[in-house]
Amino acid sequence: QLPELGSSVVRLCVSENRLTSLPPLARMAKLSLLDVSHNSLASLPDIGGLQSLQTLHAQHNQLQSLPDLAPLRSLAVMDLRENRLASIGSLPASPHLAKVLLSFNQLTALPCFQDERVLSTALAEVHLSNNHLTLKSLEGGLLGAVATLHTLDVSQCDVADVPAELGYLPKLQRLILNGNPIKRIRRALLEGPVSDLKAYLRTRGPPHPALKGAVEERDGLGGAEEK
């Protein structure tokens, strides 16, 4: 068990211990990195006040619930892999959020943003493999609205089809789908270049409403997808 820590701490790394709880962290206003990975934590204390926090590593625990993460406006990396989370709630409303790792949990729905303006900023990687996600979980959610998304991993889930709106994501280069019961799309497309799969998906439906204006503007200018 850790003692209560002072407000001047900038980096707290306590991974690979046998921690089952953490002391209050709310006063640690200067904390930029919190690494509590590889412990036995079932919950985290309130961390919403950590306005300087940029990196959160809480993977390989026993987390079943989370505190409110929306106030973390400086967070860039959030790693919550290999826990017992069935839901996330709101993701941090951070314009710097670039990487979200949620693989090997029990999620049945995607997390959301309280402030959807952050969707057009930095988010580049979302890893959701080995959860209980379905096509219904993905359709109309935040993923189809993230114009900056480069990598999406939804492998080893229960996804039976791929939402058409993913075909309009201009920067999407890696779409990992193996281990899902997808039967409506040819294997050659699923395993071939992502650009071919995206082109096919665009024939099946419109973009996410959040991207509709950008897609129409791009098409009107005759622009090509960003590389």
Side-chain angles (χ1 to χ4, degrees), residues 88-108:
I88 298 295
S90 294
L91 289 174
S94 169
H96 312 288
L97 188 64
K99 186 180 294 187
V100 174
L101 299 100
L102 296 169
S103 299
F104 292 93
N105 276 286
Q106 300 170 15
L107 299 177
T108 58

Side-chain angles (χ1 to χ4, degrees), residues 1-17 19 21-28 30-37 39 41 44-45 47 50 52-58:
Q1 186 170 352
L2 291 177
E4 188 165 348
L5 301 166
S7 60
S8 62
V9 176
V10 176
R11 297 167 61 91
L12 178 59
C13 301
V14 291
S15 63
E16 299 190 42
N17 286 285
L19 297 174
S21 64
L22 295 172
L25 303 176
R27 296 176 52 211
M28 303 176 69
K30 296 182 180 180
L31 193 67
S32 65
L33 182 145
L34 176 60
D35 185 350
V36 296
S37 61
N39 281 293
L41 301 170
L44 296 176
I47 58 174
L50 304 182
S52 298
L53 190 65
Q54 298 174 13
T55 304
L56 172 62
H57 288 297

Side-chain angles (χ1 to χ4, degrees), residues 30 56 58 68 79 102 106 118 121 124 126 138 168 170 181 185 197 205:
K30 296 182 180 180
L56 172 62
D68 184 12
D79 191 345
L102 296 169
Q106 300 170 15
V118 302
T121 53
V126 176
L138 301 183
Y168 295 89
I185 301 177
L197 177 57

Side-chain angles (χ1 to χ4, degrees), residues 70 73 90-95 112-120:
R73 297 186 177 276
S90 294
L91 289 174
S94 169
C112 62
F113 284 104
Q114 284 187 348
D115 185 352
E116 294 196 357
R117 288 176 295 181
V118 302
L119 290 174
S120 61

Side-chain angles (χ1 to χ4, degrees), residues 49-72:
L50 304 182
Q51 293 299 304
S52 298
L53 190 65
Q54 298 174 13
T55 304
L56 172 62
H57 288 297
Q59 68 269 26
H60 295 272
N61 275 286
Q62 299 174 22
L63 296 175
Q64 299 180 40
S65 62
L66 295 172
D68 184 12
L69 302 177
L72 298 175

Side-chain angles (χ1 to χ4, degrees), residues 110-112 116 119 135-146 163 165-166 208-210:
L110 295 179
C112 62
E116 294 196 357
L119 290 174
L135 175 61
K136 186 176 181 180
S137 305
L138 301 183
E139 284 183 320
L142 70 87
L143 294 178
V146 185
E165 57 204 36
L166 297 183
H208 189 284

